[in-house]
Amino acid sequence: MKRLVSVFSVILLMFGYSAWAAEPSRLTIAAAADLKFAMEEIARAFRKEHPEATLDLVTGSSGRFYEQIVQAAPFDLFFSADVKFPQQLKEQRLTASEVRLYARGRIVLWSARMNAADMKLSDLAKPDITKIAIANPKHAPYGMRAEEALKKAGLWPKVEKKLVFGENVAQTAQFAETGAAEVGIIALSLAESPMLKPKGGYSLIPENLHSPLDQGYVILRRAEDNSSAKAFADFVSGEAGRTIFRRYGFVLPVESSSSQ
């Protein structure tokens, strides 16, 4: 069963002091926050086929993970919500594989307090909406796309003072779920998750308002000789992984790898 990473363990990971040196059957995976539920399901399915493997899954902001990996954080695989981050790692010779696309994400308006299913982006300017949660666009891809959409729609000056920033898109969803914000711009994959789907509705934000959320992953240099890392990468790109991604609303790439 997947190891639950303790707060102490996460601190060790961030500073590169992991006592879990590169064991062939142990993987430490950094995954974008929009993958929280999908990746947990994938990890369970993988573990059934590979009972010898131990998976340590850490979710968070793709931009933050990129910074930590550059500083030698001990991750074996990196699943980013924006393919540019693993591509930049490859350019810096910090990877052990090609960058592979695994999905395209979507952003949505989601609310537990309002009928978001009938909501349009322009509704965010209405006075009865006082708090809007988005992920921090400085380092979170879903926040970057939310900012792009609001600016392209001409809404940024009207809503900027209403914005509440989450560290990542999962925390952003939490703000909307708990009522800290009336509405959140979050990942479709989270809106379709078993945690949020029963609690609120959503409406898709048109893709022509922002650049694509092409998401990619890579095996990192630390796992160059880790057979479990390659097995997990192949599992994610295989039918089992693709089926799970599809269930969470991800659009699957036609090709499994990006050109480098």
Side-chain angles (χ1 to χ4, degrees):
M1 192 174 189
K2 179 179 69 67
R3 175 186 292 269
L4 296 176
V5 181
S6 67
V7 173
F8 180 67
S9 298
V10 172
I11 293 173
L12 291 178
L13 286 171
M14 297 305 99
F15 288 91
Y17 296 127
S18 175
W20 308 328
E23 301 173 24
S25 61
R26 181 183 294 277
L27 294 177
T28 304
I29 302 167
D34 69 310
L35 294 176
K36 175 175 171 54
F37 299 100
M39 191 59 71
E40 287 176 352
E41 190 171 333
I42 287 173
R44 288 193 296 270
F46 176 78
R47 185 67 178 81
K48 288 181 180 179
E49 291 191 12
H50 300 268
E52 76 287 353
T54 301
L55 306 183
D56 297 300
L57 178 63
V58 186
T59 58
S61 161
S62 297
R64 292 293 193 213
F65 281 139
Y66 167 78
E67 294 169 358
Q68 292 158 8
I69 292 166
V70 169
Q71 296 171 11
F75 297 118
D76 297 303
L77 294 103
F78 175 36
F79 289 81
S80 173
D82 191 330
V83 70
K84 75 176 184 181
F85 290 120
Q87 286 173 340
Q88 288 172 5
L89 291 173
K90 181 173 175 58
E91 291 168 3
Q92 296 174 64
R93 301 182 183 275
L94 296 176
T95 65
S97 74
E98 295 298 312
V99 179
R100 305 177 75 177
L101 293 174
Y102 63 86
R104 173 173 288 183
R106 295 292 305 272
I107 55 174
V108 303
L109 292 171
W110 187 90
S111 178
R113 298 173 56 182
M114 309 176 77
N115 182 15
D118 296 329
M119 191 176 291
K120 297 179 181 178
L121 203 59
S122 58
D123 292 331
L124 297 181
K126 292 181 178 179
D128 58 326
I129 297 178
T130 61
K131 297 292 182 183
I132 304 162
I134 71 170
N136 192 326
K138 292 181 179 179
H139 53 78
Y142 277 86
M144 297 174 193
R145 301 311 188 273
E147 180 179 4
E148 287 177 13
L150 290 169
K151 286 183 174 179
K152 191 165 185 179
L155 293 168
W156 186 261
K158 301 176 183 178
V159 304
E160 188 174 7
K161 292 183 179 180
K162 301 181 181 184
L163 297 177
V164 179
F165 297 103
E167 174 67 12
N168 53 61
V169 74
Q171 187 180 64
T172 302
Q174 186 179 28
F175 287 163
E177 178 190 5
T178 60
E182 290 99 342
V183 184
I185 299 180
I186 69 170
L188 173 59
S189 59
L190 297 180
E192 289 284 2
S193 73
M195 285 292 293
L196 294 187
K197 193 170 185 177
K199 298 180 181 180
Y202 69 85
S203 58
L204 285 167
I205 293 174
E207 285 187 290
N208 62 1
L209 292 179
H210 61 85
S211 52
L213 267 163
D214 287 335
Q215 307 193 184
Y217 73 92
V218 69
I219 299 174
L220 296 167
R221 190 169 60 190
R222 157 185 155 98
E224 186 171 8
D225 298 319
N226 190 325
S227 58
S228 292
K230 184 179 185 305
F232 188 80
D234 291 342
F235 187 85
V236 167
S237 295
E239 190 53 38
R242 290 170 66 85
T243 297
I244 293 171
F245 281 136
R246 194 180 295 114
R247 189 180 306 133
Y248 283 88
F250 288 106
V251 178
L252 302 183
V254 175
E255 298 179 352
S256 61
S257 62
S258 61
S259 59
Q260 298 296 306

